[in-house]
Amino acid sequence: MSSMMNALANWLVNPRRNPLARLHMHAVSSRLRKYGLRYDDLYDPYFDVEIKEALGRLPREVIDARIQRLKRAMDLSMKHQYLPEHVQAQQVPFRGYLSDMLALVKKENAEREALGALPLYQRTLP
C-alpha cells in the first residue's frame, strides 16, 4: 500500500507525467521569468536554519548573483513593472544552485542526529 501511495505522489508532482503539474510548473516559470528570479531564490534563510547553512557554504559570486536577482525583483515589483521580453527569454528559473548543498547539509544533520550529537545551532559553550 505504501509503494502505491509513493507512486501516486510521484505521479502527482512530476511535470513530465502529470499535465496539471506541467501547467503549474509553466505558471511558476513564467512568473519567475517576469521578475528574473530562480526557484531557489525563493528559499528564505530566516525560515530554515539548514537553508541558511547551505547558503553560507556557497561561493561568494553565487550569493552575490542571488542578492542582485532579489534586489532587481523587489525593484520591479515596487515599480509595477516586469523585465523586458528579450531579457525574460534569457531567464532559466529552474536552474538550481542550492539543492545540492541543501541535500548535503540535510544529510550531515541526519548523520549528526543518528550519532546522538546536538545540531550545530543548539550547541553552547561551557
Side-chain angles (χ1 to χ4, degrees):
M1 186 64 118
S2 171
S3 64
M4 192 163 106
M5 292 300 286
N6 284 341
L8 178 64
N10 287 337
W11 178 81
L12 281 174
V13 298
N14 188 350
R16 293 184 183 137
R17 294 184 177 179
N18 186 350
L20 295 176
R22 191 176 315 120
L23 284 173
H24 176 70
M25 184 176 161
H26 287 301
V28 169
S29 176
S30 68
R31 191 73 172 181
L32 290 173
R33 276 192 178 106
K34 288 180 182 179
Y35 292 106
L37 291 171
R38 292 187 181 174
Y39 189 76
D40 287 350
D41 293 338
L42 301 179
Y43 288 118
D44 185 8
Y46 297 111
F47 181 70
D48 191 2
V49 178
E50 291 175 339
I51 293 171
K52 183 177 181 180
E53 176 68 25
L55 284 170
R57 294 182 184 187
L58 290 174
R60 189 73 205 154
E61 57 271 4
V62 174
I63 298 299
D64 289 343
R66 177 182 192 266
I67 291 170
Q68 284 302 114
R69 284 191 301 271
L70 289 169
K71 284 181 180 179
R72 177 178 58 190
M74 285 187 281
D75 183 50
L76 288 170
S77 177
M78 294 294 285
K79 293 177 181 177
H80 299 283
Q81 296 177 351
Y82 297 128
L83 284 176
E85 291 292 328
H86 68 280
V87 178
Q88 286 184 30
Q90 297 172 354
Q91 302 301 312
V92 282
F94 289 106
R95 181 184 294 163
Y97 60 90
L98 186 62
S99 56
D100 295 335
M101 193 60 71
L102 186 59
L104 179 66
V105 168
K106 286 184 178 188
K107 181 181 172 186
E108 288 175 1
N109 286 344
E111 181 181 353
R112 192 174 287 117
E113 184 179 320
L115 293 173
L118 287 175
L120 290 177
Y121 49 86
Q122 288 183 358
R123 293 185 180 178
T124 59
L125 295 174

